[in-house]
Amino acid sequence: MTDVPLLPTAAPGSTPIRVMTIAGSDSGGGAGIQADLRTFALLGLHACVAVTAVTVQNSLGVSGFQEITPDVVAAQMRCVIDDIGIGAAKTGMLASAPIIDAVAAQCRESGLGRGSDVPLVVDPVCASMHGDPLLATEALDTLRDTLIPLATVVTPNLDEVRLITGIDVVDDATQRDAARVLHGLGAQWALVKGGHLRSSDRSTDLLYDGTEFHEFDHVRIDTPHDHGAGDTLAAAITAALAHSYSVPDAVAFAKSWVSKGLAAAYPLGAGHGPVNPLWRVSRP
Ligand code: PXL
């Protein structure tokens, strides 16, 4: 039924590998924390959560959000990491500079991210697919200076690349330039997601660690129901890293996982439906 390799799951009664998502809640259930939890659960992991913001949204867009105070975001991380322990973490919507600062400080204190044993995937969420802002504009400097240097992998799409690096990726060469700049900001690996950059029927993501470029090419699944695709990709990378995959293997795994989810995406409400990690447990 699947060409996506199965990640090993824990035997009943034994504690699964734990991961953490540090992200915003999507009331529509398609992106953010909800996308992460669906992917983590279906990949056999126990997922812990540090909520950064509660968004008010449906399939038509985000009408507002309430931030969680930075100290409560950091406290959620600390109390989980100190007791339950995690094998990898990811960040999604972080909303503001003070929340990014608090998350980065807690990552340093708890030994998450670059240079530690616990990988940190930074999905630098700036806006929803409808263009609704999910990160304050003035927080971009903080993202660049404090969180990206802690990233094991940073996973921007082309809009986020433009906001973070100022580079307008239009072709193969500028995609490489962007990966170099992101790596230069301190991320151990930069994954520049290509979307429909190079052709309308392929999607090519570029991964760079300062020495070698790795390309991940896949048939582009053309669907309006791709809400949460970036979150799902980053969550699947995090899951594979928690299982000790190398970063290139984790990206390859995640790309096939999200492609299956896009192929199984469903309509929801009057707008855009979500990428569907439930394909794993769907009827054949
Ligand atoms: O897909 C990016 C994203 C992340 N987190 C939250 C979101 C969205 C997109 O809408 O709402 C909470």
Side-chain angles (χ1 to χ4, degrees):
M1 169 181 176
T2 168
D3 52 8
V4 179
L6 277 170
L7 292 182
T9 51
S14 66
T15 307
I17 292 177
R18 281 84 59 215
V19 289
M20 172 168 247
T21 175
I22 305 156
S25 166
D26 169 1
S27 52
I33 286 172
Q34 288 74 9
D36 295 344
L37 294 186
R38 298 199 311 168
T39 281
F40 288 139
L42 287 161
L43 291 173
L45 299 164
H46 177 93
C48 305
V49 176
V51 186
T52 58
V54 175
T55 71
V56 178
Q57 66 175 296
N58 58 22
S59 70
L60 297 169
V62 181
S63 52
F65 61 80
Q66 173 73 55
E67 293 173 25
I68 306 300
T69 57
D71 55 333
V72 172
V73 175
Q76 292 172 81
M77 294 172 64
R78 194 180 319 115
C79 85
V80 164
I81 294 164
D82 289 353
D83 170 42
I84 296 171
I86 55 171
K90 84 171 270 272
T91 63
M93 174 187 181
L94 296 174
S96 74
I99 294 178
I100 296 176
D101 271 331
V103 168
Q106 192 57 50
C107 285
R108 285 192 298 269
E109 188 186 314
S110 298
L112 303 191
R114 183 168 192 169
S116 85
D117 292 340
V118 184
L120 176 70
V121 177
V122 173
D123 184 17
V125 172
C126 294
S128 77
M129 70 185 299
H130 305 89
D132 308 306
L134 298 174
L135 181 71
T137 316
E138 68 273 13
L140 280 169
D141 286 342
T142 315
L143 180 67
R144 231 182 265 117
D145 298 343
T146 69
L147 194 61
I148 290 180
L150 292 173
T152 310
V153 197
V154 63
T155 63
N157 62 29
L158 296 183
D159 291 332
E160 291 155 357
V161 164
R162 193 175 313 111
L163 289 168
I164 295 165
T165 68
I167 295 175
D168 210 359
V169 173
V170 290
D171 56 15
D172 192 358
T174 43
Q175 195 176 19
R176 285 183 177 229
D177 290 343
R180 284 190 195 94
V181 170
L182 287 160
H183 179 263
L185 291 175
Q188 196 175 341
W189 294 81
L191 180 68
V192 178
K193 296 181 286 187
H196 53 270
L197 172 68
R198 299 198 205 175
S199 84
S200 56
D201 60 352
R202 311 288 308 172
S203 135
T204 306
D205 300 346
L206 185 70
L207 180 68
Y208 182 60
D209 68 343
T211 52
E212 226 184 313
F213 289 99
H214 303 254
E215 284 197 355
F216 300 87
D217 184 59
H218 202 282
V219 175
R220 188 161 167 268
I221 318 268
D222 197 11
T223 170
H225 306 306
D226 60 354
H227 184 48
D231 317 58
T232 301
L233 180 85
I237 294 172
T238 309
L241 292 176
H243 276 283
S244 305
Y245 277 39
S246 69
V247 171
D249 287 350
V251 172
F253 168 78
K255 185 108 175 134
S256 54
W257 173 263
V258 80
S259 298
K260 286 276 189 185
L262 284 164
Y266 48 85
L268 199 66
H272 297 279
V275 62
N276 180 14
L278 301 173
W279 68 266
R280 174 68 102 198
V281 288
S282 305
R283 252 183 245 144

